[in-house]
């Protein structure tokens, strides 16, 4: 591998209004290498890609391609200099054939001119033959030559992903940027992709830069990895160094060591004294299932996000559903709540099959979802938001009692009853979202990322509230990006990897299981 840098970033910044999406990132990609750029959701990875390719002009810093500055150049000029880019969301021409999708990208390297096409000159005919031969060769590398005359929309999701890479290679790039190429692929397709990336690097003498949430792919194919979190660099080095870097573990698994989690558990235990129930009653939970999910499958178009997930939540317990970005956690919750259609499987809630139940009917049955991003009504007051959560409740005394319980659970809400929801802090909005979900008096409360984007002191208060909710008798299914806090709060947990349950069991045991780290950072979990 050459010591020369193919791409160099020097203190690159990207600010959107008041949001600093990328803050002073610097790294060098060695020529001929396979380089990984990873980090949790919102880390700024795709923004960096867009700065490199000219989609965005950085608000600070410089970007060099083989020693020449490219920051500020329009995207078509950057492409002409030898950078090709595939996108996180597939961007094929659905009405064109597979071959035509690849040929579209040949214009930058074409030797023919416009009049050659009009006059059908010898040069134009020769160029067309050359372009078609090259396109067919690229399709053969991805085993797509047999479907070259079919519309691209008819391909499977994995084949569409490979077609995008073939089209990018039609530009004859020196550097290939791949944004989430394994998204939605099954384990077999991901393994094939790893081998194809290596083969393409060697055959076409490419430098490959990879943004990918599938850590099994990243850790097995990348020779060097740069890790970002919240727009900044937190680690850089070979895979084995990155996997064990404290800041990387914190970014993916949450803050704190195991003894910190023990302290957190002890802290929330003090809250149990506030419950009206006796300690014996508080600790009691039944082995009777409240929620049973069997073989659940969910797809977004061609992307299979949930692949046969099965799980059980017993009455009175808190179960955590954890996993890396893109593992299918939120999709699983939405499918249980009937907000996404099922491709296969079934869900049994409180003894009833939900396959024919409308989403709005679940609230009356005793299921509530506090969604990721909180989704409160910003132009309504705190009290009005709580009233909206009780729209199925006809007993005014029950509504008043539940508001009092919400204030006891989160005292800040009592101080802000007349304040507009949109003016609350992020942590206060999360408290309101949870309290609003409780207003319907649910048997099962599903929480999606309650600590996301919240200051640590408020995270503590929210987890104290969640523990008290469970102790007061509400069953909880928790999706949480802070793995250590989730496992500290839960009795049992399921670990998802690319849409499948890879591990499950006692939460305390999983906190000390190295395979959980592997689920996030690419080590074997099977």
């Amino acid at each position: 591998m050459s010591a020369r840098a193919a791409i160099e970033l020097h203190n690159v910044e990207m600010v959107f209004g008041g949001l600093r999406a990328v803050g002073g990132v610097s790294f060098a990609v060695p020529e001929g290498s396979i380089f990984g750029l990873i980090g949790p959701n919102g880390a700024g990875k795709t923004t960096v890609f867009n700065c490199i390719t000219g989609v965005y002009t950085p608000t600070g810093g410089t970007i060099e391609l083989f020693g020449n500055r490219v920051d500020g150049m329009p995207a078509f000029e950057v492409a002409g200099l030898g950078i090709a880019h595939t996108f996180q969301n597939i961007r094929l021409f659905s009405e064109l054939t597979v071959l035509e999708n690849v040929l579209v990208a040949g214009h930058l390297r074409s030797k023919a001119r416009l009049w050659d096409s009009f006059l059908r000159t010898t040069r134009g005919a020769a160029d067309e033959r050359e372009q078609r031969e090259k396109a067919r060769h690229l399709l053969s590398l991805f085993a797509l030559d047999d479907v070259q005359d079919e519309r691209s929309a008819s391909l499977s999701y994995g084949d569409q992903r490979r077609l995008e890479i073939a089209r990018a290679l039609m530009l004859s790039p020196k550097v290939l940027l791949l944004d989430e190429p394994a998204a939605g692929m099954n384990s077999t397709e991901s393994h094939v992709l790893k081998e194809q990336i290596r083969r393409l690097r060697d055959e076409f003498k490419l430098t490959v830069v990879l943004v990918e949430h599938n850590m099994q792919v990243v850790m097995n194919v990348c020779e060097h990895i740069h890790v970002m979190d919240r727009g900044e660099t937190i680690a850089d080095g070979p895979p084995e160094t990155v996997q064990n870097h404290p800041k990387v573990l914190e970014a993916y698994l949450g803050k704190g060591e195991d003894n910190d989690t023990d302290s957190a558990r002890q802290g929330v235990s003090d809250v149990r004294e506030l419950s009206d129930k006796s300690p014996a009653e508080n600790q009691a939970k039944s082995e009777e299932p409240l929620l049973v999910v069997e073989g659940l499958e969910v797809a977004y178009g061609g992307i299979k996000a949930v692949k046969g997930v099965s799980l059980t939540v017993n009455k009175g317990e808190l179960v955590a559903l954890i996993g890396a970005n893109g593992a299918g956690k939120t999709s699983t919750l939405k499918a249980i709540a009937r907000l996404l259609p099922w491709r296969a499987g079934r869900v049994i809630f409180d003894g009833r099959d939900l396959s024919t139940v409308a989403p709005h009917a679940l609230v009356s049955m005793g299921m509530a979802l506090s969604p990721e991003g909180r989704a409160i009504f910003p132009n309504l007051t705190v009290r009005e938001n709580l009233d909206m959560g009780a729209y199925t409740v006809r007993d005014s005394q029950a509504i008043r009692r539940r508001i009092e319980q919400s204030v006891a659970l989160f005292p800040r809400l009592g101080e802000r009853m007349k304040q507009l929801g949109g003016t609350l802090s992020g942590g206060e909005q999360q408290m309101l979202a949870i309290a609003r979900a409780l207003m319907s008096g649910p048997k099962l409360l599903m929480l999606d990322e309650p600590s996301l984007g919240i200051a640590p002191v408020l995270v503590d208060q929210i987890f104290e509230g969640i523990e008290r909710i469970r102790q007061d008798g509400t069953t909880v299914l928790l999706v949480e990006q802070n793995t250590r806090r989730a496992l500290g709060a839960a009795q049992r947990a399921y670990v998802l990897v690319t849409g499948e349950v890879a591990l499950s069991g006692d939460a305390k045991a999983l906190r000390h299981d190295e395979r959980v780290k592997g689920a996030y950072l690419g080590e074997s979990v099977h």
Side-chain angles (χ1 to χ4, degrees), residues 35-339:
F35 186 96
L37 181 61
I38 68 171
N41 283 338
K45 310 179 295 296
T46 295
T47 302
V48 167
F49 261 27
N50 287 334
C51 288
I52 293 172
T53 57
V55 175
Y56 299 148
T57 298
T59 52
T62 62
I63 300 173
E64 296 179 3
L65 176 65
F66 297 107
N68 300 309
R69 282 189 64 174
V70 296
D71 51 282
M73 283 187 177
F76 72 91
E77 288 187 10
V78 176
L81 291 174
I83 292 183
H85 181 197
T86 67
F87 295 91
Q88 187 172 1
N89 299 314
I90 290 176
R91 298 185 183 181
L92 296 174
F93 297 98
S94 59
E95 296 303 315
L96 298 184
T97 67
V98 170
L99 179 61
E100 288 168 343
N101 265 276
V102 179
L103 288 171
V104 161
H107 66 286
L108 280 178
R109 306 301 177 215
S110 175
K111 300 170 186 174
R113 297 294 179 262
L114 182 61
W115 57 83
D116 290 314
S117 298
F118 279 124
L119 301 176
R120 303 195 63 81
T121 64
T122 303
R123 181 172 64 177
D127 183 75
E128 183 176 350
R129 284 194 303 271
E130 183 179 328
Q131 294 278 352
R132 286 181 175 273
E133 288 174 4
K134 180 179 179 181
R136 289 189 180 104
H137 172 64
L138 292 173
L139 291 175
S140 69
L141 294 177
F142 294 95
L144 295 173
D145 43 333
D146 289 341
V147 294
Q148 64 178 356
D149 295 322
E150 296 183 16
R151 289 173 57 249
S152 63
S154 69
L155 298 183
S156 68
Y157 180 80
D159 283 345
Q160 288 187 25
R161 280 284 183 193
R162 286 185 279 273
L163 177 55
E164 272 213 319
I165 299 174
R167 183 176 62 183
L169 291 171
M170 193 69 180
L171 290 167
S172 299
K174 301 172 185 175
V175 178
L176 179 62
L177 308 183
L178 301 176
D179 196 350
E180 301 279 9
M185 290 186 175
N186 59 38
S187 56
T188 301
E189 290 173 326
S190 297
H191 178 74
V192 171
L193 178 67
K194 288 184 291 186
E195 299 305 316
Q196 286 174 331
I197 290 173
R198 292 193 187 98
R199 189 171 74 247
L200 293 174
R201 187 270 304 269
D202 297 339
E203 179 173 338
F204 292 93
K205 309 302 181 187
L206 291 171
T207 302
V208 180
V209 185
L210 180 70
V211 163
E212 180 56 62
H213 284 312
N214 187 328
M215 291 298 125
Q216 298 292 337
V217 172
V218 172
M219 295 299 170
N220 282 281
V221 77
C222 293
E223 298 146 351
H224 193 95
I225 299 172
H226 190 88
V227 191
M228 295 176 61
D229 187 26
R230 300 181 183 182
E232 298 182 350
T233 298
I234 59 171
D236 187 273
E240 57 273 16
T241 299
V242 165
Q243 281 178 320
N244 297 295
H245 194 287
K247 288 187 177 180
V248 177
L249 294 175
E250 181 179 315
Y252 278 92
L253 300 180
K255 191 172 184 179
E257 301 299 330
D258 289 329
N259 56 357
D260 295 331
T261 309
D262 290 331
S263 298
R265 182 184 286 273
Q266 179 60 44
V268 296
S269 70
D270 297 335
V271 181
R272 296 170 185 165
E273 298 175 7
L274 300 174
S275 173
D276 295 331
K277 300 176 184 177
S278 70
E281 290 173 322
N282 281 336
Q283 293 298 329
K285 68 177 189 293
S286 93
E287 296 299 321
E288 181 183 353
L290 178 63
L291 177 72
V292 178
V293 178
E294 298 176 346
L296 188 64
E297 294 184 8
V298 177
Y300 299 91
I303 304 175
K304 201 171 181 182
V306 180
K307 308 167 185 174
V309 164
S310 297
L311 59 87
T312 300
V313 181
N314 295 321
K315 291 182 179 179
E317 69 177 346
L318 191 158
V319 174
L321 188 61
I322 61 176
N325 296 335
K329 308 181 298 296
T330 293
S331 295
T332 299
L333 284 196
K334 287 184 175 180
I336 292 170
R338 303 289 287 143
L339 299 176

Side-chain angles (χ1 to χ4, degrees), residues 221-469:
V221 77
C222 293
E223 298 146 351
H224 193 95
I225 299 172
H226 190 88
V227 191
M228 295 176 61
D229 187 26
R230 300 181 183 182
E232 298 182 350
T233 298
I234 59 171
D236 187 273
E240 57 273 16
T241 299
V242 165
Q243 281 178 320
N244 297 295
H245 194 287
K247 288 187 177 180
V248 177
L249 294 175
E250 181 179 315
Y252 278 92
L253 300 180
K255 191 172 184 179
E257 301 299 330
D258 289 329
N259 56 357
D260 295 331
T261 309
D262 290 331
S263 298
R265 182 184 286 273
Q266 179 60 44
V268 296
S269 70
D270 297 335
V271 181
R272 296 170 185 165
E273 298 175 7
L274 300 174
S275 173
D276 295 331
K277 300 176 184 177
S278 70
E281 290 173 322
N282 281 336
Q283 293 298 329
K285 68 177 189 293
S286 93
E287 296 299 321
E288 181 183 353
L290 178 63
L291 177 72
V292 178
V293 178
E294 298 176 346
L296 188 64
E297 294 184 8
V298 177
Y300 299 91
I303 304 175
K304 201 171 181 182
V306 180
K307 308 167 185 174
V309 164
S310 297
L311 59 87
T312 300
V313 181
N314 295 321
K315 291 182 179 179
E317 69 177 346
L318 191 158
V319 174
L321 188 61
I322 61 176
N325 296 335
K329 308 181 298 296
T330 293
S331 295
T332 299
L333 284 196
K334 287 184 175 180
I336 292 170
R338 303 289 287 143
L339 299 176
L340 289 175
W342 312 336
R343 177 173 285 187
R346 67 173 187 158
V347 177
I348 308 297
F349 174 63
D350 202 18
R352 183 173 175 183
D353 191 328
L354 300 186
S355 58
T356 59
V357 177
H360 68 270
L362 293 176
V363 179
S364 298
M365 289 177 59
M367 182 186 293
L369 170 64
S370 177
E372 182 181 9
R374 302 180 275 276
I376 64 166
F377 298 99
N379 295 321
L380 298 184
T381 65
V382 169
R383 172 58 191 263
E384 289 167 339
N385 268 275
L386 293 175
D387 286 340
M388 290 295 291
Y391 75 95
T392 60
V393 182
R394 299 291 176 261
D395 185 343
S396 60
Q397 291 189 359
I399 293 174
R400 185 171 60 252
R401 185 171 61 252
R402 287 170 188 169
I403 289 177
E404 292 171 354
Q405 291 169 344
S406 295
V407 171
L409 195 64
F410 300 119
R412 287 192 180 212
L413 298 182
E415 303 166 4
R416 291 161 169 75
M417 278 292 169
K418 296 181 180 180
Q419 189 171 329
L420 293 179
T423 65
L424 301 177
S425 71
E428 291 166 346
Q429 289 186 19
Q430 185 62 68
M431 294 174 186
L432 177 56
I434 295 173
R436 182 183 61 184
L438 289 170
M439 288 298 294
S440 63
K443 301 172 185 176
L444 173 67
L445 174 64
M446 299 193 294
L447 300 173
D448 195 355
E449 303 286 12
S451 78
L452 187 63
I454 295 175
V457 64
L458 293 183
V459 170
D460 291 341
Q461 293 180 29
I462 285 170
F463 270 88
E464 288 172 4
I466 292 170
E467 174 64 10
R468 182 171 174 184
I469 289 167

